[in-house]
Amino acid sequence: MKNDRQDAILEIIGRKDIETQEELKTELESLGFSVTQATVSRDIRELGLKKEQGKNRKLRYTAAKDKSLMGSDSYKSVLKAGIISMVPAGNLIVVKTVSGVAMAVAAALDRMEIDELIGCIAGDDTIFLAVKEHSYTEKVISEIKNRSND
């Protein structure tokens, strides 16, 4: 389902200028996908979509032309440069980042596919990581630190 939806997103932005997540959500729904704005946002992040200026001078979503931009080295550098602190709070980890980079750090964390990490929510400079159980929070913090310093 997820792969089909993400393939549909790539097809949609390939044939039509899509300026907003809401437009993309509407297009997906017209193809029979039941999606939320959060799902669309996550798919955009996972696909590495960027906004660039279209022919009509408006911004539109485009797929990354250079897949190496989505490689592990770039994620490591985002984590290393972006994370200021990580503090456990029950089964959450509160991650403070440099202002404006929380979404990029969250995308990098999602890409790491840590088993005990079940999701994250990012703002401007703060990320909440949901961990399966509070007993795993220190392990997840250690895993993030180790992988960003490899």
Side-chain angles (χ1 to χ4, degrees):
M1 181 76 163
K2 177 180 172 180
N3 288 337
D4 292 341
R5 186 181 63 246
Q6 289 185 350
D7 287 344
I9 289 171
L10 293 172
E11 189 272 323
I12 291 166
I13 66 168
R15 68 174 162 76
K16 186 174 185 178
D17 285 352
I18 301 293
E19 296 178 49
T20 66
Q21 290 182 8
E22 188 60 37
E23 285 180 55
L24 188 53
K25 181 179 179 292
T26 300
E27 288 290 323
L28 285 167
E29 288 170 343
S30 74
L31 295 174
F33 293 96
S34 177
V35 293
T36 64
Q37 186 277 331
T39 300
V40 171
S41 179
R42 189 177 319 107
D43 285 342
I44 287 169
R45 187 174 65 234
E46 288 178 7
L47 290 168
L49 301 185
K50 304 293 179 210
K51 281 196 168 182
E52 68 179 31
Q53 197 170 41
K55 296 173 189 161
N56 61 1
R57 312 216 10 107
K58 292 182 180 180
L59 293 179
R60 65 183 181 90
Y61 283 106
T62 61
K65 291 173 180 60
D66 183 0
K67 292 293 183 187
S68 69
L69 294 175
M70 296 167 45
S72 64
D73 288 341
S74 64
Y75 281 109
K76 287 178 190 175
S77 63
V78 166
L79 293 173
K80 190 177 259 188
I83 295 176
I84 295 171
S85 66
M86 293 184 281
V87 178
N91 74 316
L92 297 175
I93 300 170
V94 179
V95 180
K96 295 302 275 181
T97 69
V98 174
S99 184
V101 301
M103 288 295 286
V105 170
L109 293 169
D110 282 341
R111 190 69 148 194
M112 290 173 71
E113 297 180 356
I114 299 171
D115 289 336
E116 296 82 10
L117 183 60
I118 56 176
C120 61
I121 299 172
D124 183 60
D125 63 357
T126 305
I127 305 167
F128 290 114
L129 303 178
V131 180
K132 286 181 182 176
E133 295 180 29
H134 75 280
S135 60
Y136 294 133
T137 56
E138 290 297 337
K139 180 181 178 186
V140 171
I141 290 171
S142 292
E143 184 77 16
I144 293 167
K145 286 179 180 177
N146 289 339
R147 290 196 195 179
S148 63
N149 290 320
D150 284 344

